[in-house]
Amino acid sequence: MILRALANGVNPDTGELLSRSSVAQTPEMIRMLFTLAEELVDVSAKIKKTKLSLHERQQKNIAEGKPAKSYFPWSNEEKLQLAEGYTAGKTVEALSLELGRSGRAVAIQLEKLGLITAEQLMNYQ
């Protein structure tokens, strides 16, 4: 805020306009102050945006009303569990609850694995 005030020609302490003879009023200095202010905003935004752990992401999904593993990549073990469960007669809905995925995500994986057709996939929107 101090840099923006100076760039706008205002004394950040008093709120008074700076004199035209002030070094902060030169075009080069004004550009530099605005650039520095933007850089500091970008840095603080990056610091605030921390990466969530896998458990935190799952908890966030649940809090947002989504299945726990929404937007998570499928592991080979999950794909195997899905294929075995489906061939054993489990429904897409049951598998979605078991795997923490949406019915649509389960159906997409089943189609990728060749266990259902594209037409069957269309039933899961």
Side-chain angles (χ1 to χ4, degrees):
M1 290 185 341
I2 293 172
L3 292 173
R4 288 200 182 279
L6 288 170
N8 285 314
V10 176
N11 181 326
D13 293 327
T14 64
E16 297 174 356
L17 292 177
L18 298 174
S19 70
R20 291 195 183 271
S21 62
S22 171
V23 70
Q25 290 295 90
T26 63
E28 296 83 13
M29 185 62 73
I30 292 170
R31 279 194 293 275
M32 182 186 72
L33 289 167
F34 274 121
T35 302
L36 285 172
E38 286 300 313
E39 282 293 319
L40 291 175
V41 167
D42 288 345
V43 168
S44 66
K46 287 177 186 174
I47 290 171
K48 289 179 185 176
K49 193 173 187 178
T50 58
K51 190 170 183 174
L52 300 176
S53 70
L54 292 177
H55 179 71
E56 290 170 331
R57 285 176 40 210
Q58 286 180 350
Q59 293 305 312
K60 182 179 179 226
N61 282 341
I62 291 168
E64 293 174 352
K66 300 175 190 169
K69 292 187 177 179
S70 288
Y71 307 108
F72 277 59
W74 286 76
S75 69
N76 290 333
E77 293 81 21
E78 288 176 311
K79 290 177 187 178
L80 181 61
Q81 184 181 354
L82 174 64
E84 288 174 352
Y86 188 74
T87 55
K90 291 184 180 178
T91 65
V92 170
E93 293 78 14
L95 289 165
S96 71
L97 290 173
E98 187 178 310
L99 295 167
R101 308 274 182 169
S102 69
R104 175 94 174 133
V106 168
I108 289 170
Q109 269 314 310
L110 288 171
E111 195 265 338
K112 286 181 179 179
L113 294 170
L115 297 172
I116 65 172
T117 64
E119 292 79 28
Q120 290 171 304
L121 171 61
M122 298 306 291
N123 293 329
Y124 300 95
Q125 294 300 328

